[in-house]
Amino acid sequence: MWFTNLLTSGGIGTTVLMLSVAIFVGLLLGKLKIKGITLGITWVLFVGILLSALGVTCNGEMLHIIKEFGLILFVTGVGLQVGPGFFRSFAKGGLTLNVMALVNVALGVGITVLIAKLASQELTDMAGVYTGAITNTPGLSAAQQAVGDLGIEGAADRLAAGYAVAYPLAVVGMIVTCLILRPKNMAAEPTETVDAVDAVKASGRKKGSILLIPIFVIIALGIVLGSIPIPVGMKAPVKLGLAGGPLVVALVAGWLGVKKGWYGTDFTDGQGVHMLREVGIALFLAGVGLSAGSQFVETVQSHYIWVVYGVIITMVPPLLVAGFGRLVLKMNWYTLAGFVGGSHTDPPTLAFANTVAPEGCKLPNMGYATVYPLTMFLRIFTAQLLVLMA
C-alpha cells in the first residue's frame, strides 16, 4: 500500500524517484543496438512516457522547472563544446554547409505549413510534430513558451504529444537518409582527417577546473538575452528563449575563452562539460516524457497520421539538400552524414556516422558541428513562428 501511494502521491519524492527511474532505465536501453542503430538517450523520453501512461503521478510544477533547467544545462554544455571550432569552420567549407542548413530548415517549415493546410491540421499541433520530426527539444520548449505567452490552454501538452509521436521515427529516418545517400564503394570515399572542429587546441594555461568557468554566469546572461523580445510583425514577438539565450552566450564563451587562452579545449570538450550536457538532456527528456505520457496513447490513437507527417518532415528536406550536395557539389559522404545529423540537431545520426567512418576520420564531426549552432537558432525561431502563424 505504501509503495502504491508513493507512485501516485504526486509529491516531490515521487517526482524525483520517477525521474531517476526514467533516466536509469532509459540509459540502459540506450545501449541496445539493432544493426548498428541505437536510439541512445532518446529511450529516456520513452520510458518517461510509459511510466506516465501507466498512471504514475508527478508534481507538474516541479517537472516543468526540472525539464527547463535540464535543457539550459544541455545547451550550455553544447555551446561550450562547439564554440571553439565554430567560427574557424567557415574557412573550410562551412559557409556552403550553413547555406545548405538554411535551405534544409526552410524546406522543413514549408512542408509543415503545407501539410497543415492540405490535411486541415491545426498549425499549433503541427509545430509539435515539426519539433519531434527534427528531434529539436529546444524548439519544443520555445514553442511551448510561445503558446504560454499567447494563453492557449492545453496547447503545451499537445505540442509535447506531437513531439513524442514524431520523434522515434525521426531518429531512424535520418539514419535511413544517410544510408540512401551512401555510395556503393565506401572504400573509394576520402577519409582524410580534418581539424575544422578541433583546430583550436589548448595553447594557453591549462585551467581545466570547472570552478574556473562561471557556468551559472553564462546561464544568467543567457536567460537575460533569451528574454529579449524580437518584433517580427506578428501577434507576438519571438525570443531566443531559455534554450537559445544560454546557447549563444555559451557559444561565444567557448570560442573566446579558447582564443584568449583562458582555458583550452581540454576543458570545453572535457568530461566536466560533457557530463553537464548529458545530465541536462536526460533531465529534460525524462521531464517531457513524464509530462506527456498521459496524452501520448490518446494522441497516437486519434492522430496516428502525425507519425506519417513526421516522417515526411524528417526525410524530404535532407534527402533533397544532402542529395544536392552529394550529386551536384560532389561532397564527401562522411561530411554529409554529419551534416544530416547537425541540420536536425540529432546526436544518434552523428553516432551512426562515426561508427561507419574509419578510425581517426573526423569528417562527420566537422559536418555536424559546423551547422549545429545556426541550425539550433533557426529551429528555435521557426518553432515559435509556426505557433504565431496559427
Side-chain angles (χ1 to χ4, degrees):
M1 179 66 69
W2 66 267
F3 188 69
T4 302
N5 292 335
L6 176 63
L7 297 180
T8 58
S9 67
I12 293 176
T14 301
T15 304
V16 174
L17 173 62
M18 291 301 103
L19 283 166
S20 301
V21 171
I23 293 172
F24 171 70
V25 176
L27 291 177
L28 285 180
L29 291 174
K31 296 182 179 296
L32 297 177
K33 290 184 179 181
I34 300 177
K35 294 185 178 181
I37 298 176
T38 175
L39 295 181
I41 200 170
T42 307
W43 275 108
V44 173
L45 170 68
F46 302 134
V47 174
I49 289 173
L50 177 61
L51 290 173
S52 181
L54 290 175
V56 169
T57 304
C58 296
N59 185 296
E61 292 183 1
M62 184 177 177
L63 276 182
H64 179 73
I65 293 172
I66 287 176
K67 70 181 182 182
E68 295 299 337
F69 186 62
L71 183 60
I72 290 169
L73 293 179
F74 171 69
V75 297
T76 299
V78 167
L80 286 170
Q81 288 182 320
V82 173
F86 173 62
F87 296 100
R88 181 171 291 197
S89 68
F90 280 86
K92 298 192 177 183
L95 181 59
T96 300
L97 285 174
N98 275 285
V99 171
M100 290 170 58
L102 177 62
V103 174
N104 189 69
V105 172
L107 284 173
V109 173
I111 290 172
T112 302
V113 173
L114 187 63
I115 289 174
K117 290 184 177 181
L118 294 179
S120 301
Q121 296 286 324
E122 289 289 337
L123 192 53
T124 302
D125 294 341
M126 289 305 299
V129 176
Y130 168 76
T131 58
I134 59 175
T135 66
N136 191 267
T137 46
L140 170 64
S141 177
Q144 289 178 320
Q145 279 188 277
V147 297
D149 292 342
L150 294 172
I152 306 176
E153 187 175 349
D157 289 339
R158 289 178 63 82
L159 281 167
Y163 167 92
V165 166
Y167 198 115
L169 284 184
V171 175
V172 177
M174 278 177 281
I175 294 175
V176 171
T177 298
C178 293
L179 292 173
I180 292 174
L181 296 172
R182 185 176 179 175
K184 293 182 179 179
N185 185 11
M186 288 294 291
E189 197 69 8
T191 60
E192 70 272 13
T193 57
V194 297
D195 59 359
V197 177
D198 301 310
V200 185
K201 295 301 179 182
S203 57
R205 293 163 289 174
K206 305 276 185 172
K207 297 182 179 180
S209 172
I210 199 168
L211 296 176
L212 299 179
I213 306 300
I215 294 293
F216 288 97
V217 173
I218 292 175
I219 291 174
L221 292 175
I223 290 175
V224 172
L225 178 64
S227 300
I228 298 174
I230 304 172
V232 290
M234 304 181 77
K235 48 189 171 183
V238 297
K239 303 174 183 177
L240 283 173
L242 295 177
L247 176 63
V248 171
V249 176
L251 185 69
V252 174
W255 165 70
L256 191 61
V258 171
K259 181 180 180 181
K260 296 294 185 180
W262 299 335
Y263 42 84
T265 52
D266 57 335
F267 167 74
T268 58
D269 201 32
Q271 288 298 315
V273 172
H274 180 77
M275 180 66 72
L276 183 77
R277 187 191 75 182
E278 294 302 302
V279 169
I281 193 62
L283 288 173
F284 178 82
L285 291 175
V288 169
L290 289 168
S291 299
S294 58
Q295 286 194 338
F296 180 77
V297 176
E298 178 185 343
T299 301
V300 172
Q301 291 175 340
S302 58
H303 298 287
Y304 57 87
I305 194 65
W306 285 2
V307 176
V308 178
Y309 298 153
V311 171
I312 295 172
I313 297 168
T314 295
M315 294 189 65
V316 172
L319 277 174
L320 292 175
V321 176
F324 177 83
R326 181 68 184 170
L327 299 176
V328 179
L329 301 181
K330 307 300 181 182
M331 297 180 70
N332 184 280
W333 182 85
Y334 296 110
T335 301
L336 283 175
F339 163 82
V340 171
S343 65
H344 285 248
T345 61
D346 184 60
T349 304
L350 175 62
F352 166 76
N354 280 325
T355 300
V356 176
E359 185 177 355
C361 177
K362 296 184 179 180
L363 290 171
N365 292 327
M366 183 275 285
Y368 184 91
T370 298
V371 300
Y372 186 98
L374 176 63
T375 298
M376 181 66 80
F377 303 145
L378 292 174
R379 297 303 192 186
I380 290 171
F381 276 120
T382 54
Q384 294 176 80
L385 287 175
L386 287 172
V387 170
L388 297 176
M389 290 166 59

